[in-house]
Amino acid sequence: MQKKSWLPLLLIGLAAAIAIPSVIQLATRQTPAPEPALPRSAETTLPVWPSKPTTSANPSDTPAQSLASNPELALTQIFAEIEQNNLGLALQHTEALIERHPNYRLAHLIKGDLLLARRHPLTTFGAAPSGTEKISDLRAEALRRLQAYREKPAPEQVPRYLLQMRPDQRYAVVIDTQRSRLYIYENDLATGGRPRFVADYYVTQGKLGADKFYEGDKKTPLGVYHVTADLSRQKLPDLYGSGAFPINFPNEWDRRRGRGGSGIWLHGTQSDTFARPPLASDGCVVLTNQDLDAIRDRLQVGLTPVIISPQVEWLSLDDWAKEREEFNRTIEAWRADWESRDTDRYLAHYSRQFSAGGQDFTQFAAQKRQVNAGKTWIKLKLDKISILRNPGAEEMVVVTFEQDYRSNNLDNRMKKRQYWVREGGQWKIIYEGAA
């Protein structure tokens, strides 16, 4: 009777954090309850069961060590065993998880509960003594991991932000701060550059959440960024674990909005800790060392986009293709109008709120009229175009490309970045400059 009496208490203690019936339902239900929900993907990085043949298809027959290689899969199995009242098997899986990841505090906490449950009913999750560790932090981590395991993105859906990557951008990183999740998408050139889901990982963000505004506010920025360096082979303090990849915060749009700060990195976890709580960094995005090592070779300095969103928006492949086609037509119209030397048509692509390089729209327009007056012909070629939608309610797209400009009196080649906003149903350039 003791075993049965502690079981619902543990599950209720966990479930209270996200207001659903139980953690086991979270781990095993086939259709997501929270909205917006992500359907389960056919592809996943989780080694669902071992590759070697087993005598039974039942997950309970899987060797504990096979499960322990992936913490989320192991947690899912542990709570499934608890639901079935197989506390001995749950303890076996938990001990295997601890053996594989001895610094995983959440696993130690669950083991303590399982051992205490042998003697008396438990009244809460985390009833075992746990020193100074915050039980709420561990509960939050467990729920974020289990929720994400259940809510895999579907193969027929892609993040709205990845409208187009340049051919040499092999992968993109998309981070959902609400779910504490980092997704890796491949630029699948065989399908015309369609983003293809590769893997996803649990991450930690700033102590005070997302939407960074100033230095020291303990928040993670939201926006479109790029990896700027690889510090994985440099000597770093233990805080950064097995390496770090800085991103370009603040970007051009952050600076225009008065947002600032520095030192926002993707990095690993200190040696005495396997994983950190969902809200625990000073603003960086933190992975376990195991997960950072898994994505290291997919991060290209100066190329890999890192899009940090409060909640990922998903599109069907048809809607994604339509948005991509629409924006490519918009860029082509801008290019053709510049090449035409019709300054009014060209300037019609720019917002009245445009500002860049110390110029507002009026100053920029006057300069362009003066320059075009001396042109007899212009040829403009755009190459390696990336089109990335900025996350959030504001409709904004970040376009980066290599521009080859030739005219009767000037030749110039540069890498350029533009920020386009939707005004009155039309896309307008609000910023442009060297990238």
Side-chain angles (χ1 to χ4, degrees), residues 153-185:
E156 66 273 12
Q157 288 187 317
V158 295
R160 190 182 191 188
Y161 320 115
L162 303 178
L163 291 180
Q164 181 170 305
M165 288 187 278
R166 52 186 280 177
D168 52 350
Q169 287 176 317
R170 296 186 295 115
Y171 297 93
V173 173
V174 177
I175 296 166
D176 186 321
T177 60
Q178 181 174 305
R179 285 185 168 84
S180 299
R181 208 72 189 168
L182 181 152
Y183 300 91
I184 299 288
Y185 275 82

Side-chain angles (χ1 to χ4, degrees), residues 256-330:
R256 172 166 170 159
R257 294 187 300 164
R259 294 176 182 255
S262 60
I264 301 299
W265 298 357
L266 309 181
H267 66 78
T269 307
Q270 60 217 51
S271 58
D272 65 350
T273 303
F274 174 71
R276 296 170 69 178
L279 303 176
S281 80
D282 288 336
C284 292
V285 175
V286 183
L287 299 92
T288 68
N289 292 325
Q290 169 183 294
D291 293 343
L292 184 69
D293 291 342
I295 71 170
R296 187 186 308 279
D297 291 341
R298 291 169 173 158
L299 302 179
Q300 299 167 275
V301 174
L303 284 177
T304 302
V306 177
I307 300 175
I308 310 177
S309 173
Q311 187 172 8
V312 174
E313 295 180 73
W314 306 90
L315 289 180
S316 69
L317 291 174
D318 286 344
D319 287 341
W320 169 82
K322 288 176 183 176
E323 288 202 4
R324 171 178 167 142
E325 183 180 351
E326 175 197 359
F327 218 89
N328 272 297
R329 286 198 304 265
T330 299

Side-chain angles (χ1 to χ4, degrees), residues 109 126 128-135 138:
L109 188 70
S130 56
T132 60
E133 188 62 62
K134 295 180 180 178
I135 303 302
L138 297 178

